Structures are given as C-alpha cells and as structure tokens.
Amino acid sequence: MRHRNQGRKLNRTAQHRTAMFANMAAALIKHEQIKTTLPKAKELRPVVEKLVTLSRRGADNLHARRQAIAQIRDETQVKKLFDVIGPRYANRPGGYTRVLKAGFRHGDNAEMAFIEFVDRDPDAKGLDSGPVNENEATAEE
C-alpha cells in the first residue's frame, strides 16, 4: 500500500530530488519561466507555491525568510521572492504558477513543459543566465 507516499521519485535519491527542486525553484524565481520535463514541472509546482505563500507574509518576517532560505539556498533569489514576487501575489488566493505543455524533446522524446508564474515579468526571462565575457560587457557600454 502506498498510503502517504505521494510524489514522483523521478529515478533520483531523496537528497538528489531535494537539491534538484531547490535549484529549479531558484531558477524559476530568477527567470520567472523555465523549460523542463512535464513530470518535473508538475512536482516543482507545489514547492514554488509554498515558497510564494511564505513570501506573502511580508518582507520583514524573518522566520518566513529563513524557512525559504533553508529550502532554496540562494539568498539573492529569496530577496527577489520576498521583495518582488510576494507583493505581486499579495491579493491572489493561490494558483501562482502554470504548467504549459511544450511538445517532445528531440533526443529521447520526453514530454517537455514550461512552468511559469501567472503574472510573470517577460523581461526576467534569460536574465543573467550563463557566464558573461568581460570583453562583450565593456563593448556594450
């Protein structure tokens, strides 16, 4: 019997799943939309929903902030979560994310999906992703 054993294992150990969801939650908070496999997106949704609910308590709630840091382990993303995302959804009673199916991956035919915040900022997509070459950064300025 599988009583009280909800959730997918995703062929990973418990520690790997915890670390993976922490990284994926930080990436979702940073970019406000990420592309992943459908089962991972469906499992990530409750993790992120609980974090947004924590952030709705307010930016000055130290206990909630520490709970979020313990879960996603990235202080800059926790700062964005509490300063930007929490106030954005202050009047919304849940349902902060959506999962959109995005076809199948070319290599292994895995079902892909986008997970995104409902009222996301389109300018945050791809922001600060990957290493930046210093020559390119100085050429732009």
Side-chain angles (χ1 to χ4, degrees):
M1 290 181 281
R2 286 186 43 89
H3 297 255
R4 300 182 66 175
N5 290 331
Q6 65 272 18
R8 296 169 180 84
K9 291 189 177 180
L10 302 172
N11 268 345
R12 286 162 172 82
T13 61
Q15 295 86 3
H16 189 170
R17 271 194 311 276
T18 305
M20 180 182 67
F21 288 138
N23 292 332
M24 289 175 72
L28 180 61
I29 291 167
K30 182 177 186 179
H31 301 293
E32 300 196 14
Q33 179 190 41
I34 58 173
K35 185 176 184 180
T36 183
T37 62
L38 184 64
K40 286 181 192 172
K42 286 182 176 181
E43 285 298 309
L44 180 64
R45 186 188 329 183
V47 172
V48 175
E49 299 267 345
K50 289 171 188 169
L51 288 170
V52 174
T53 302
L54 272 179
S55 69
R56 288 180 56 197
R57 293 187 192 171
D60 57 341
N61 191 328
L62 185 60
H63 180 57
R65 187 176 293 265
R66 284 181 174 165
Q67 284 179 316
I69 289 171
Q71 188 153 8
I72 63 176
R73 305 181 192 113
D74 189 346
E75 291 188 23
T76 57
Q77 301 317 316
V78 170
K79 181 171 175 32
K80 179 180 178 184
L81 179 69
F82 276 79
D83 295 343
V84 178
I85 295 174
R88 184 189 304 167
Y89 298 112
N91 297 323
R92 187 181 191 97
Y96 314 114
T97 59
R98 72 168 62 103
V99 175
L100 302 169
K101 292 185 179 182
F104 297 91
R105 188 161 51 198
H106 179 66
D108 59 355
N109 208 31
E111 195 169 6
M112 300 299 287
F114 285 101
I115 181 168
E116 65 183 15
F117 285 110
V118 174
D119 299 325
R120 70 182 175 92
D121 179 19
D123 297 331
K125 183 179 176 183
L127 188 67
D128 299 330
S129 60
V132 176
N133 191 354
E134 290 185 23
N135 296 335
E136 293 175 6
T138 57
E140 292 175 1
E141 294 173 359

